[in-house]
Amino acid sequence: MSEPLIEVKDLKVQFNVRDGIIHAVDGATFTINRGQTLGIIGESGCGKSVTAKAILRMVPRPGKVTGGEILYHRRIKSNGSEITDIVNITELDPDGEEIRKIRGGEIGMIFQEPMSSLTPVYTAGSHIGEAVGLHRLVPIRKVGAQMVETIQAHRRISKQEAREIAIDMLRRVGIPKPEQRVDAYPHQLSGGQRQRVMIAIALSCEPKMLIADEPTTALDVSIEAQILDIMRELQETVDMAIMFITHNLGVVAEMAEEICVMYMGKIVERASAVEIFYEPQHPYTRALLKSIPHVGKKSRERLASIKGMVPDPFNLPSGCVFHPRCPEYMPGKCDRIVPSWTQVGENHWARCLLYEGV
Amino acid sequence: MLAYIARRLGYILIMLVLVSFVSFLIIELPPGDYLTQKLQELQARGDRSAEMRIAEYRARYGLDKPLLERYWIWSTHFIKGDFGDSFEFERPVTEIIGQRAGMSAILAISTITLTWLLAIPIGVYSATHQYSIGDQITTIVTFIGLGMPGFLLALIVLFFAMTVLGQEVGGLFSREFQDAPWSFAKVVDLLKHLWIPAFIGAVTGTASLIRIMRGNLLDTLGQPFVEAARARGLKERTVIWKHAVRVAINPLIVILGSEALPQIIAGNALVATVLNLPTLGPVYVRALQVQDMYLAGTVLVFIVGMTMIGNLLADLTLAALDPRIRLE
Ligand SMILES: Nc1ncnc2c1ncn2[C@@H]1O[C@H](COP(=O)(O)OP(=O)(O)OP(=O)(O)O)[C@@H](O)[C@H]1O
Ligand SMILES: [Mg+2]
């Protein structure tokens, strides 16, 4: 039963800057199913964060979504049965009520920079309280209310309740002495603790999906393992999808069931995590995998890194954008023809001319 | 906390002693003193008894004593609240300051209020609408405001008020209210006059404050916590005011503290002179020119004292507003 939660279809995001246009996301297509973890990997600057922000309708200026759509399948209860309502996020007003209900309430996000993602003048507890106050409602029980009444009255959460939720969330993300830490200011917390607080904020509203944008890149390895454990544990208890963005292949192997590989704003390969690691099809994916150091493989040679440089975003190569760096470059083809999305196995797709028989 | 405040007050006291002594020296530096000038003036008028009268003054004000002794007498009296006499007004300094301090304070407070009420919203607008038409206009206007000397602006506004509004300008009251007791009509009359100096004072202050607010807020808006707040589902207005502005405004508190309090004593003397305002500024400038020692020295000590108390208040406020700052 893989029911889609977010469908991104041919998403295009451009930044119109002084030197020209940056195609930060250039036709990305993928689906995230309910309860599933999708990994997005790719080198720095390939458009991972911009894709994530587009899902929350938060692309920073001067960026603009110039094409495609993002469909959010929202489940609503109606007359006792569940129906699915489809919201096209790209068409929402970026400061409208609809998207603000989704942000934080239905899709939570944690960011790359735990050190500065909390407002320095507010406590950990007030951050959580703010989110909970916006999105969590408590049903009001009316004496003698009819059982058939379908629309239930709700009220906002009280200060005291918000504090209790905050303490409980901090405990769940493994912050010691949460009754005291709830009143701590960000500068009194370590980087790892701050990221835990960010996770607590994001999960306090019980979202249907969590976007984790390189949540552990800025942290050291032992803290990274703890944070990943916490995310996995919490995911099991709340049935939440995760879009896990990273450039660390080791981390994504641990977290994701399915993986999208991005290069220069395009998804170049998509398959289950196992297939990506054992049967990578796109030359870029293979090159990425070769760049992971292996324990025991004692070689004196330098880590295999991908040859060449990331191309100039204002001056993209013709044909397949990876061709100047590709070990399997086919002259006359790869520099002329733009590869299309091709099925290369069961549930395994790639964007490469090797599989197009041209 | 209390120990910190006590220590700061101690420093302020030491500074005041030093400043008062140095200023005493500096005011004394030009050749001659108030009475040498006065003597020349009287002799020029052909006053025969000039020499005698001046000698009498000299004895009365103790000007024949050496500098150190005079400083000692003045400063010991100062502590008791007796600031000495003004030569020019021939009245106690306390009286002159008492008469004018109220008006100075009213003017300074209205100027500061106007400045902040204008600068903060405009600065926030300018930063949140970076490079929009509104922002560009603001930028141009603030640069003009920064470059325009206050006294020139005062003259322009005077001219405008007289010719276009047909208003009697200069001073803070119309003639009929000058010595009248306080009444509702007198307050209205004061407001009618007050807007001119308050506006002029606010222009330069507002311009620089807008620039600072805009710059700080632009920096803050680029911080990840602003994006994180937005991702929590807050309204854009809440994101801006509760998170970004709340953090970006802290450095401005220091400006408020260190500039506002001294301004109450002798702010904008040049503009006040052009507009003929009954405030302390013009009196202070005049006292410096004619070496009216005790008047000038007293005002200076107050300016320095207010500056330092303002800084202390700013630090305390900042510590209360920003949990990262600890008073050591
Ligand atoms: N505010 C912006 N203004 C201009 N260009 C931007 C802006 N934000 C992102 N970009 C461009 O969009 C592209 C994708 O950026 P993005 O932040 O999505 O990269 P990323 O894959 O998340 O990289 P990293 O791993 O370093 O976080 C980059 O080429 C960048 O130059
Ligand atoms: Mg990123």
Side-chain angles (χ1 to χ4, degrees), chain A residues 31 55 57 84 97 106 117 143 150 175 197 219 228 236 245 249-250 254 265:
Chain A
T31 304
I55 294 178
R57 195 90 178 80
T84 307
E97 197 172 328
E106 294 164 46
S117 286
V143 182
T150 47
I175 292 208
V197 172
L219 304 174
L228 295 180
E236 275 165 26
I245 298 173
L249 290 155
E254 236 179 287

Side-chain angles (χ1 to χ4, degrees), chain A residues 53 56 58 61 95 100 103-104 111 113 116-122 127 130-131 134-135 185 187 198 201, chain B residues 127-130 223-225 227-228 230-236 242-243 246-247 250 321-324:
Chain A
K53 286 170 192 170
L56 290 179
M58 272 180 38
R61 277 188 304 177
D95 192 34
R100 284 191 279 110
R103 277 183 206 149
F111 291 86
E113 306 92 350
S116 47
S117 286
L118 293 163
T119 309
V121 296
Y122 299 118
H127 279 89
E130 189 178 63
L134 276 174
H135 300 293
Y185 286 98
H187 71 276
M198 289 307 291
I201 297 169
Chain B
T128 51
H129 297 74
Q130 196 188 8
Q223 297 266 328
F225 67 78
E227 196 164 51
R230 197 173 289 131
R232 250 172 272 146
L234 294 171
K235 279 203 191 88
E236 192 60 22
K242 185 178 167 196
H243 289 267
R246 175 68 180 72
V247 172
N250 284 350
L321 286 179
D322 192 332
R324 287 167 296 181

Side-chain angles (χ1 to χ4, degrees), chain A residues 15 17 22-25 42-51 53 60-63 112 213-214 245 247 313:
Chain A
F15 284 88
V17 291
I22 299 176
H23 299 267
V25 182
E43 283 168 292
S44 187
C46 69
K48 306 181 296 287
S49 297
V50 172
T51 308
K53 286 170 192 170
R61 277 188 304 177
Q112 239 166 306
D213 187 356
E214 306 195 31
I245 298 173
H247 51 234

Side-chain angles (χ1 to χ4, degrees), chain A residues 88-105:
Chain A
N88 185 353
I89 288 177
T90 48
E91 280 173 0
L92 297 178
D93 167 11
D95 192 34
E97 197 172 328
E98 186 80 21
I99 190 68
R100 284 191 279 110
K101 240 170 70 190
I102 296 176
R103 277 183 206 149

Side-chain angles (χ1 to χ4, degrees), chain B residues 119-186:
Chain B
I120 301 304
I122 297 178
V124 170
Y125 172 87
S126 210
T128 51
H129 297 74
Q130 196 188 8
Y131 304 136
S132 69
I133 303 274
D135 178 37
Q136 314 234 0
I137 293 174
T138 309
T139 304
I140 295 169
V141 173
T142 52
F143 276 125
I144 296 175
L146 280 178
M148 173 93 76
F151 70 90
L152 181 60
L153 192 65
L155 288 173
I156 296 173
V157 174
L158 272 185
F159 182 74
F160 170 79
M162 271 195 302
T163 53
V164 181
L165 301 181
Q167 195 184 334
E168 182 199 341
V169 286
L172 282 178
F173 295 104
S174 308
R175 202 160 299 129
E176 63 264 37
F177 287 108
Q178 202 80 57
D179 298 311
W182 282 102
S183 65
F184 181 69
K186 184 168 178 173

Side-chain angles (χ1 to χ4, degrees), chain A residues 128-167:
Chain A
I128 301 177
E130 189 178 63
V132 166
L134 276 174
H135 300 293
R136 266 187 46 178
L137 297 169
V138 207
I140 302 172
R141 266 195 227 117
K142 280 188 230 149
V143 182
Q146 303 113 302
M147 295 296 285
V148 279
E149 201 176 36
T150 47
I151 302 162
Q152 237 181 335
H154 289 272
R155 66 168 170 83
R156 293 213 179 272
I157 227 152
S158 73
K159 274 240 162 77
Q160 189 52 41
E161 287 165 328
R163 191 180 166 83
E164 277 157 22
I165 293 173
I167 293 174

Side-chain angles (χ1 to χ4, degrees), chain A residues 278-307:
Chain A
Y278 293 102
E279 288 169 50
Q281 298 296 315
H282 197 285
Y284 176 65
T285 313
R286 291 188 204 141
L288 266 186
L289 288 167
K290 271 199 206 124
S291 66
I292 316 179
H294 287 277
V295 183
K297 204 176 169 189
K298 254 195 198 160
S299 76
R300 288 249 154 206
E301 47 184 305
R302 286 177 48 204
L303 282 177
S305 59
I306 305 169
K307 72 167 188 186

